[in-house]
Amino acid sequence: MYPFEYIEPSTLPEAVAALAEHGPDAVALAGGTDLLVMMRADTIRPKVVVNIKRIPGLSGIAATNGDVRVGALTLVRDIEKSPVLRARAPALSEAARWLGSVQIRHLATIGGNLCRAAPSAEMAPTLLALGARLHLVGVQGQRVVPVEDFFLGPGRTVLQPGEILVEISLDGLAPRSGSTYLRHSIRPLMDLALVNVAAYLALDAAGTITEARIALGAVAPTPIRARAAEAELCGHTADPALFERATEAAVAAARPISDVRSTAVYRSRMVRLLTQRALAQTLAAAQNGHVQ
Amino acid sequence: MKKYNVVGKPLPRVDAYSKVTGQAKFTVDINLPGMLHGKILRSPHPHARILSIDTSAAEKLPGVRAIITGTDTRDMRYAFVDTPRYPADQYPLAQDKVRYIGDEVAAVAAVDLETAQAAIDLIRVEYEVLPAVFDPYEAMAADAPSVHESSYSGTSIWEEWGAKKTDASRADERVNNVSGRTVITYGDTDAAFAAAAYVREDRFETGSTAHCAMEPHAAVAHYDPSGQMHLWLSSMGIYYKRYVMSKVLKLPTSSVHIHKTYVGGAFGGKMDVYPYEICAAILAQRTGRPVKIELTRPEVFTTTRIRFPTYIDIKTGVAADGRILAQHIRTVVNNGAYRGTGPVVIFLFHGWTAPVYRVENMRYEGVSVWTNNPVGGPQRGHGAPQIRFAIDSQLDMIAEDLGLDPAEMMLKNVRHIGDVLPNGDVLKSCGLTDCITQAAAATDWTKKRGRPGSDRRARGTGTKRRGVGISTTTMISGAPYYPFASAGVVQLHDDGRATLLTGVVEMGQGAETTLAMVAAEELGLQLSDIRVVSGDTEQTPVDMGSFLSGGALVTGDAVRLAAADARRQLLQVASERLDAQVDELDLSNGRVCVRDRPDRCMSIAEVVHYSIKESGNPIIGRGYRKILSASDRYPSLAKGTGRWTDAYGFNAQVAEVEVDLETGQVQLIRATTYHDCGQPLNPQIVDGQVFGSVSTGQGQALTEQLVFNQGRIVNASFQDYRVPTALETPISDGAAVESFEPAGPFGAKEVGEGTLAQTLGAIANAVYDAAGVRIRSLPITPDKVLAALAEQAAQRA
Amino acid sequence: MKKLMLSLAVNGQVYDVAAFPHRTLLEVLRDDIGLTGTKRGCDDGDCGACTVLLDGLPVTSCLVLAVDAVEKTITTIEGLATAGQLHPMQQAFIEHGALQCGFCTPGLIVTAKQLLEEKPDSSDEEIRAGLAGNLCRCTGYVQILAAVAACRDGQLAGQTEAP
Ligand SMILES: Cc1cc2nc3c(=O)[nH]c(=O)nc-3n(C[C@H](O)[C@H](O)[C@H](O)COP(=O)(O)OP(=O)(O)OC[C@H]3O[C@@H](n4cnc5c(N)ncnc54)[C@H](O)[C@@H]3O)c2cc1C
Ligand code: FES
Ligand code: FES
């Protein structure tokens, strides 16, 4: 690893100022599980590293009324184990379970996973499906961005130099709703997802689908919403033909490539399979109404 | 089986305590006072001419102590294979050309790693990029770029050890990038194919895999002013490395001292002498300070040898009852940029064929071809995984075509005790039949597999299908190579315990433990009575190294003979003192007694005391053994003639897999391995060898593959090169079959290296049994399985 | 760039080290403090050989800057045996032959020890998943899994003495 200057701010304004001052030469350090790997491979060579982990108040999981707020510096391991999330957004805890090894999850943060903006990012599809909102703080102050507007491309986000992701909020989860996260990789664990899929369905009392969100990862430059598939579902009652049409639409939304991990054809087939399974499981969860 | 006191017991390893407490010192753990850190500048091009190298800016950097380039190694040509026919083709640092991405260009020693890296960044190399070739068939075309054009004349290092000066390098082979060629024929293949009831031809392909020893390669070198070169290396055999290092550095062999370190796994990848090791030594000479070079994991993946990617064509003719009458096997190996062991592996493909099934009419042709890929080398089984996968996949297909059970077809063809192989090797032990029948019995083979010829597609209706497959393999127990012998010394102490001196390198195989057990057995001591000093060229006697699977048989026998020599002296002394004939004495539990006279006993401690007081003899036993007892020749790599080992290990495995028809994913559920390693010296260690081999075989069958793009390995990390994790551990069971190898110590022979090869074929055959799709190229990845299933569905529609 | 003075509490002892900020905890443990029991297999978080406990939780020390370990407690393989008595997990590895080359062993033992401390009744499946971040190329894991299960079940034969 190439040497750098190290800054360890103890407040958010200090951190933002330090990052803003050094612009593209500076990076924020959270868990470091992406950052240090990239620095060692020399794909990035920052001159200044700003450790944001010693700033109080950036981690933790809190539930108020219907809303859940997750600090950006919350460890993926804590998301995996959180009783609040297991009850309110089980798909998020489920996603956390698949990220790296237990050693990595004790370092990795949810914010780092999003800010790294990998197409296969473990936490992204579920947050897309749950309609999460991201709270960013920069020199200009705070702004809130829906997670679906956050990613611009592999490794690229809307974060401005100096901006820090501080919190992720999940609000408006319907009473009769369910969510699912599924992923496929060659090794069952310790392997990046070849495809990951998350789904969210909300039902009304009659069982009609009132809200649907389907998110796909690793099949486009960023994690994406399959909006055409969602449109197929909304306002209808679930049945196999409906799910099949939605699945087709999801497959059409995916733009997978062939790379060192898999082929486009294979990824496409996995989108179909995982979407089918995710819809069925999400429907069952929603019917049981396990998000209150 | 014969009863032993120590041998055959699952005793804890002698190196375990230091390893579970973090005290065991590996090469990477060696830190010497004043030590410098070295880094290598490597080629970014697969093929290029070096026009100039400018090190001036780097030299000015504070903290840089030495920089060397090709000019500093001009007279240092070397290679694992260096014979008149195959002269060495490699230099520690590139001369005129670089031939693959990662080829060594320059080396730096500096006060710390950061400075060394900064210096590397400042070295300016001007390249003229040349056309490169990556595919062995394309490389053989007349107009293909030549990877090596110079003729490398001169004396090869093995000539002084008897390599015959024969037809010097053949010009025609050069032109076509052919780096080695083996042709072996016996019987009359034409006539036998004509007489065959059924003939089948198939092509198989195996990808390239990585060793993945967990300890990265490292070297520490320190040259002391008296002219002694001290080395700490990641090695599999210190005497071999010492010899090559001394030749390259032009030092007397005894001026090179390789110190003991534990080696963190090797699997073939730490056998060869590598440029970084020689560079560390040269840099130590230049600076007068210790120099350490530790490779990064990506460097280990790209520059320390890979499994040879191989194309295998097999034509087999069988009688109606399944007896193999004739085989024509052609192999083409992508050798990469340097020969490494290319000419050896094409010889070995046949070597792993002849001892398993008796085929009287054979034509085998192997070619290894230089390309601009990373270099191939030995890897656990050295060729056996590739060829056994191909042969047993095809056998499975033939059995199905003929309506036979593949296990029964194997039994019709396997070799037996007493068989003489085409090269003259004799099987004095051979448990193949037992391995197959016991593996089949333990897995309920006949029931699981179903009636031969029955419709496999009828296996269940769910999306997950189970299937079983079987495969077999063999492995040698040592083959003649420098230093051609192993020796051992056993020194008794006046407390009645003993120290064993052995040159073996403990790299995980358990040699320190099993050898100590051999010594303990012979001396009537307990394992805890033996201290082991190992793997140091100044402190321990010569050893063949642990890369030809001769550890148990050859080194084990040398140690047994050393202990026997000490025992002989001990009994001699005791017989004087106890006033009895030597043959009336029993030695056990640390005591010498006159037979049936418990009142006339002496402890070993008392005997040693007495011996020292009487004659001064402290009792030191020595023993030695030639690798190949009855031959002074190398086997011919080109023609396959000449004996090359004293015993073969065998095994058979039944694999049970589950294929997910929706994802194409294959899961190894259970691997049942029955093996013939002669008498197992330590069953817990033998089990460990088998479990480890199964796991690596599982990875190489299903998930492991180096991916190349224009000569670059694009997945040189554990992230994307997928070795199995604990989560995928199958049920691994089986046992050793009853066997006794007369040539080995207490009946032991090789174990471990061979047990990987049959896993690949067993899994491939099980996949076919489960899903009805035949995957002929390794690894069997989910996308291949799904594509094959789709094709199958299309054909049926 | 200048070195930072770091106070690191390792195995109950405080070490004061001067280190550049880019040095990882793994490097400082091995090169500056001299505790080489923690191994480097990849430097990328993939192999687990460098696992140490940071405030009691297993992390890959190759992905932790040393400066980030200040004010935390660090436990390495060297800190497991107390007063010459092996930790039961170490004893289990010896009894079950759960090591060969031994290079992965420190990381595995540290990870497995914490796994059972966190959940003493971990199922076999949980043990497998919990160890997935520790690669071992030699053993094929069979004897490692047996050792951890034996430790969980309190089935150890004895105490191995230092040779
Ligand atoms: C062995 C291994 C296995 C892995 N497996 C997986 C896996 O299965 N799935 C997966 O998705 N990922 C995986 N990863 C990648 C990585 O662990 C995750 O992406 C992790 O969540 C990143 O979080 P971090 O806190 O470590 O981020 P860091 O490495 O600290 O940061 C990543 C990037 O985000 C920026 N950043 C971090 N936090 C903030 C913030 N709050 N505000 C602004 N910018 C910020 C950093 O500047 C940096 O550019 C793996 C990594 C390793 C080493
Ligand atoms: S060295 Fe840290 S995980 Fe491999
Ligand atoms: S014992 Fe060698 S890697 Fe695990």
Side-chain angles (χ1 to χ4, degrees):
Chain A
M1 211 185 322
Y2 286 87
F4 50 77
E5 191 193 327
Y6 176 77
I7 301 177
E8 195 176 276
S10 49
T11 67
L12 200 51
E14 273 172 52
V16 167
L19 284 168
E21 184 195 334
H22 298 281
D25 287 341
V27 286
L29 168 71
T33 59
D34 275 321
L35 198 60
L36 296 194
V37 172
M38 290 188 289
M39 286 168 64
R40 199 163 273 129
D42 204 25
T43 47
I44 55 167
R45 205 188 287 185
K47 294 206 178 77
V48 178
V49 170
V50 180
N51 185 354
I52 57 175
K53 282 197 298 298
R54 305 231 180 211
I55 303 169
L58 293 188
S59 71
I61 299 158
T64 43
N65 306 326
D67 301 349
V68 180
R69 290 178 299 119
V70 181
L73 274 278
T74 307
L75 294 181
V76 174
R77 178 71 169 162
D78 291 335
I79 290 174
E80 178 188 1
K81 297 204 292 190
S82 157
V84 171
L85 288 177
R86 283 180 173 214
R88 307 290 280 275
L92 199 58
S93 297
E94 173 67 14
R97 193 165 78 82
W98 295 102
L99 190 148
S101 60
V102 67
Q103 292 96 319
I104 297 296
R105 298 198 290 281
H106 278 131
L107 294 172
T109 64
I110 183 169
N113 191 245
L114 294 177
C115 295
R116 164 71 181 88
S120 64
E122 212 68 55
M123 310 308 293
T126 311
L127 292 174
L128 281 164
L130 295 176
R133 300 189 318 140
L134 309 184
H135 301 252
L136 316 180
V137 171
V139 269
Q140 321 285 298
Q142 171 150 357
R143 59 179 176 139
V144 180
V145 177
V147 64
E148 60 207 75
D149 296 339
F150 184 68
F151 303 110
L152 297 177
R156 292 193 304 122
T157 66
V158 299
L159 281 175
Q160 295 297 313
E163 240 178 347
I164 292 176
L165 168 62
V166 293
E167 189 178 280
I168 297 144
S169 62
L170 306 169
D171 30 44
L173 298 180
R176 270 195 93 196
S177 68
S179 58
T180 308
Y181 174 74
L182 296 176
R183 54 113 75 189
H184 182 65
S185 57
I186 303 233
R187 273 190 312 206
L189 272 179
M190 281 305 280
D191 208 353
L192 297 184
L194 299 180
V195 170
N196 47 13
V197 173
Y200 170 80
L201 293 177
L203 308 178
D204 65 14
T208 309
I209 298 173
T210 54
E211 263 186 292
R213 282 188 292 268
I214 297 173
L216 311 176
V219 290
T222 68
I224 54 165
R225 290 263 303 269
R227 289 184 189 275
E230 297 168 1
E232 288 284 351
L233 297 167
C234 280
H236 299 278
T237 337
D239 70 49
L242 179 75
F243 277 8
E244 200 41 50
R245 283 201 303 281
T247 302
E248 284 310 321
V251 172
R255 284 165 284 138
I257 55 163
S258 295
D259 63 9
V260 51
R261 300 204 177 98
S262 191
T263 64
V265 176
Y266 186 77
R267 284 199 163 101
S268 205
R269 295 200 48 169
M270 289 310 107
V271 172
R272 179 185 310 276
L273 184 69
L274 297 190
T275 308
Q276 277 168 348
R277 288 180 183 172
L279 286 175
Q281 288 178 28
T282 309
L283 178 68
Q287 283 165 344
N288 294 333
H290 74 208
V291 172
Q292 305 84 19
Chain B
M1 277 183 206
K2 207 174 159 240
K3 271 264 166 263
Y4 297 111
N5 290 320
V6 179
V7 160
K9 298 222 164 90
L11 300 174
R13 303 169 60 106
V14 300
D15 52 351
Y17 191 94
S18 73
K19 287 178 176 178
V20 301
T21 51
Q23 303 306 321
K25 286 274 178 270
F26 296 81
T27 305
V28 292
D29 300 332
I30 302 297
N31 289 317
L32 302 177
M35 190 172 79
L36 302 173
H37 294 267
K39 268 266 160 209
I40 308 266
L41 175 67
R42 300 178 179 279
S43 167
H45 304 294
H47 198 190
R49 194 170 305 287
I50 298 174
L51 301 178
S52 68
I53 304 180
D54 177 3
T55 58
S56 54
E59 269 153 25
K60 291 196 195 94
L61 196 68
V64 172
R65 292 287 182 268
I67 301 180
I68 54 173
T69 65
T71 28
D72 300 291
T73 68
R74 212 172 267 306
D75 56 350
M76 296 186 178
R77 186 164 55 86
Y78 80 105
F80 180 78
V81 178
D82 185 12
T83 63
R85 183 182 169 88
Y86 299 129
D89 62 353
Q90 190 172 6
Y91 291 84
L93 293 170
Q95 298 299 310
D96 49 335
K97 285 213 303 186
V98 286
R99 298 184 172 84
Y100 80 104
I101 296 172
D103 216 350
E104 291 80 2
V105 175
V108 174
V111 289
D112 55 31
L113 264 182
E114 287 82 357
T115 310
Q117 183 61 52
I120 291 283
D121 294 347
L122 286 173
I123 299 176
R124 292 280 159 269
V125 185
E126 208 187 329
Y127 293 102
E128 175 198 340
V129 175
L130 300 171
V133 62
F134 307 106
D135 174 87
Y137 291 96
E138 284 171 20
M140 283 190 282
D143 57 351
S146 287
V147 181
H148 292 260
E149 55 265 289
S150 43
S151 59
Y152 305 121
S153 53
T155 325
S156 60
I157 62 175
W158 299 121
E159 275 166 53
E160 69 181 55
W161 284 94
K164 257 191 293 165
K165 224 175 184 30
T166 48
D167 50 341
S169 42
R170 301 212 303 258
D172 60 339
E173 293 183 353
R174 279 285 139 66
V175 174
N176 299 311
N177 285 319
V178 167
S179 60
R181 193 192 294 277
T182 299
V183 179
I184 300 170
T185 56
Y186 38 88
D188 180 346
T189 37
D190 289 346
F193 276 122
Y198 182 68
V199 177
R200 185 177 171 124
E201 284 186 68
D202 294 282
R203 156 160 285 212
F204 300 91
E205 239 183 281
T206 59
S208 190
T209 55
H211 305 82
C212 299
M214 284 299 133
E215 179 204 22
H217 294 55
V220 178
H222 179 42
Y223 188 65
D224 79 31
S226 71
Q228 191 81 1
M229 175 64 76
H230 298 274
L231 297 169
W232 293 257
L233 303 175
S234 306
S235 89
M236 302 173 69
I238 49 172
Y239 279 88
Y240 168 69
K241 284 216 171 179
R242 180 182 76 157
Y243 186 62
V244 177
M245 290 300 280
S246 76
K247 286 284 160 194
V248 171
L249 299 170
K250 315 228 164 8
L251 295 170
T253 26
S254 58
S255 292
V256 176
H257 176 180
I258 300 185
H259 293 253
K260 182 212 166 87
T261 49
Y262 280 112
V263 172
F267 315 118
K270 293 174 179 172
M271 182 205 73
D272 226 334
V273 173
Y274 291 108
Y276 76 87
E277 298 174 305
I278 302 170
C279 288
I282 302 170
L283 290 168
Q285 281 179 322
R286 293 285 164 97
T287 59
R289 289 180 49 182
V291 175
K292 181 180 197 170
I293 300 184
E294 182 177 338
L295 299 191
T296 64
R297 184 53 63 177
E299 283 183 302
V300 173
F301 268 107
T302 33
T303 67
T304 64
R305 308 293 188 245
I306 56 177
R307 168 114 58 218
F308 294 100
T310 306
Y311 295 91
I312 302 171
D313 290 288
I314 311 184
K315 177 179 171 187
T316 300
V318 294
D321 65 357
R323 271 179 307 116
I324 301 171
L325 300 178
Q327 239 165 6
H328 182 183
I329 302 178
R330 282 170 300 150
T331 61
V332 173
V333 155
N334 190 335
N335 202 145
Y338 297 98
R339 235 186 223 115
T341 53
V344 183
V345 80
I346 52 174
F347 158 84
L348 289 174
F349 286 143
H350 174 264
W352 312 135
T353 302
V356 181
Y357 304 134
R358 197 183 57 249
V359 180
E360 277 169 8
N361 305 289
M362 171 70 75
R363 179 166 178 81
Y364 169 81
E365 299 159 74
V367 222
S368 54
V369 187
W370 278 312
T371 63
N372 297 110
N373 269 354
V375 187
Q379 189 180 110
R380 217 163 184 179
H382 205 183
Q386 294 102 312
I387 197 75
R388 297 309 314 164
F389 158 69
I391 288 180
D392 280 347
S393 290
Q394 198 201 36
L395 184 142
D396 198 61
M397 292 149 110
I398 294 174
E400 161 137 325
D401 294 346
L402 296 181
L404 298 170
D405 178 325
E408 273 168 28
M409 179 167 162
M410 285 175 179
L411 288 173
K412 284 196 178 121
N413 289 289
V414 291
R415 294 202 173 266
H416 302 282
I417 291 186
D419 275 16
V420 181
L421 305 191
N423 70 335
D425 283 344
V426 184
L427 303 185
K428 296 198 193 96
S429 61
C430 175
L432 254 178
T433 300
D434 287 345
C435 290
I436 295 170
T437 49
Q438 291 179 30
T443 53
D444 216 356
W445 168 264
T446 331
K447 186 151 152 270
K448 282 205 170 128
R449 182 75 179 200
R451 216 164 16 83
S454 63
D455 185 4
R456 292 167 204 281
R457 261 62 87 203
R459 280 181 183 284
T461 47
T463 56
K464 293 191 172 177
R465 305 283 172 86
R466 294 251 175 138
V468 287
I470 187 168
S471 179
T472 56
T473 192
T474 182
M475 187 47 59
I476 49 171
S477 304
Y481 201 64
Y482 186 91
F484 309 102
S486 288
V489 172
V490 172
Q491 180 170 351
L492 297 190
H493 300 291
D494 60 14
D495 61 0
R497 299 169 78 200
T499 295
L500 165 65
L501 309 182
T502 161
V504 81
V505 176
E506 177 58 67
M507 51 188 199
Q509 81 279 41
E512 286 186 348
T513 307
T514 47
L515 294 175
M517 287 170 74
V518 165
E521 183 70 46
E522 192 68 37
L523 285 167
L525 290 171
Q526 295 304 310
L527 175 60
S528 53
D529 295 327
I530 311 280
R531 288 187 52 80
V532 185
V533 177
S534 75
D536 183 309
T537 56
E538 292 293 290
Q539 299 182 27
T540 62
V542 73
D543 186 74
M544 63 169 288
S546 301
F547 48 88
L548 292 159
S549 296
L553 188 128
V554 181
T555 304
D557 206 37
V559 167
R560 186 188 62 81
L561 291 168
D565 185 29
R567 174 194 174 96
R568 185 187 52 72
Q569 297 173 48
L570 190 77
L571 293 182
Q572 190 61 50
V573 175
S575 82
E576 288 168 26
R577 185 73 173 143
L578 292 168
D579 198 15
Q581 295 298 307
V582 167
D583 58 13
E584 292 171 344
L585 299 179
D586 281 336
L587 174 61
S588 65
N589 295 324
R591 294 173 73 75
V592 185
C593 293
V594 182
R595 193 159 305 122
D596 301 327
R597 290 295 304 274
D599 56 321
R600 286 173 62 198
C601 284
M602 283 175 87
S603 69
I604 293 181
E606 286 166 343
V607 183
V608 176
H609 272 269
Y610 176 79
S611 176
I612 292 171
K613 283 214 295 228
E614 285 302 300
S615 68
N617 177 10
I619 306 197
I620 300 171
R622 60 190 196 102
Y624 52 85
R625 163 142 184 177
K626 216 172 133 188
I627 295 180
L628 187 59
S629 51
S631 172
D632 59 352
R633 295 190 304 146
Y634 292 95
S636 158
L637 293 180
K639 297 193 287 278
T641 49
R643 290 206 42 213
W644 60 302
T645 193
D646 275 346
Y648 291 85
F650 295 98
N651 58 83
Q653 184 176 91
V654 171
E656 179 165 7
V657 303
E658 184 169 275
V659 181
D660 183 330
L661 300 183
E662 291 181 311
T663 62
Q665 206 127 15
V666 178
Q667 195 190 342
L668 177 62
I669 304 289
R670 180 177 171 197
T672 304
T673 317
Y674 279 79
H675 54 95
D676 164 16
C677 60
Q679 159 72 44
L681 293 173
N682 179 327
Q684 190 181 64
I685 288 177
V686 171
D687 282 351
Q689 288 293 311
V690 173
F691 299 149
S693 296
V694 165
S695 171
T696 301
Q698 167 192 16
Q700 301 197 347
L702 299 175
T703 57
E704 294 181 32
Q705 178 174 33
L706 292 168
V707 182
F708 298 88
N709 180 6
Q710 299 289 304
R712 183 183 305 280
I713 296 178
V714 292
N715 59 339
S717 75
F718 287 134
Q719 170 100 265
D720 285 319
Y721 183 87
R722 301 178 182 89
V723 307
T725 75
L727 191 61
E728 296 102 277
T729 311
I731 299 168
S732 210
D733 58 357
V737 302
E738 174 108 28
S739 173
F740 187 90
E741 171 52 50
F746 307 107
K749 57 184 175 178
E750 99 61 50
V751 66
E753 185 168 8
T755 33
L756 185 156
Q758 81 291 13
T759 301
L760 311 181
I763 289 178
N765 291 340
V767 168
Y768 181 78
D769 187 45
V773 291
R774 174 66 60 186
I775 310 297
R776 292 159 208 251
S777 73
L778 291 177
I780 304 173
T781 52
D783 51 334
K784 284 185 198 169
V785 173
L786 273 200
L789 283 167
E791 198 180 310
Q792 181 200 58
Q795 266 169 17
R796 259 194 255 140
Chain C
M1 285 341 115
K2 67 177 201 305
K3 289 191 176 177
L4 310 172
M5 271 311 293
L6 310 177
S7 268
L8 297 175
V10 188
N11 303 330
Q13 189 176 330
V14 175
Y15 296 85
D16 293 314
V17 209
F20 286 113
H22 68 273
R23 302 284 283 172
T24 61
L25 177 58
L26 175 63
E27 289 164 340
V28 169
L29 284 172
R30 288 177 53 78
D31 303 339
D32 298 300
I33 298 180
L35 292 173
T36 56
T38 306
K39 302 301 183 197
R40 174 189 2 253
C42 69
D43 241 3
D44 266 338
D46 295 321
C47 77
C50 65
T51 304
V52 301
L53 302 182
L54 200 57
D55 280 345
L57 299 174
V59 297
T60 46
S61 63
C62 66
L63 295 184
V64 177
L65 295 181
V67 44
D68 236 343
V70 171
E71 289 163 27
K72 299 191 168 154
T73 63
I74 301 155
T75 308
T76 70
I77 187 69
E78 290 94 341
L80 257 53
T82 41
Q85 290 272 302
L86 293 180
H87 184 276
M89 191 60 76
Q90 293 172 311
Q91 181 63 26
F93 267 57
I94 294 181
E95 286 179 15
H96 286 266
L99 60 102
Q100 289 180 27
C101 79
F103 201 76
C104 67
T105 310
L108 265 155
I109 289 179
V110 167
T111 309
K113 162 189 134 77
Q114 191 274 339
L115 184 137
L116 289 190
E117 275 165 11
E118 182 172 321
K119 190 153 187 262
D121 60 346
S122 296
S123 67
D124 289 354
E125 204 54 30
E126 284 166 336
I127 293 173
R128 285 162 173 258
L131 299 182
N134 293 81
L135 299 180
C136 171
R137 188 59 149 179
C138 299
T139 65
Y141 308 104
V142 177
Q143 289 151 314
I144 292 173
L145 295 172
V148 180
C151 201
R152 172 195 61 195
D153 302 337
Q155 288 172 348
L156 298 179
Q159 236 322 300
T160 302
E161 301 288 324

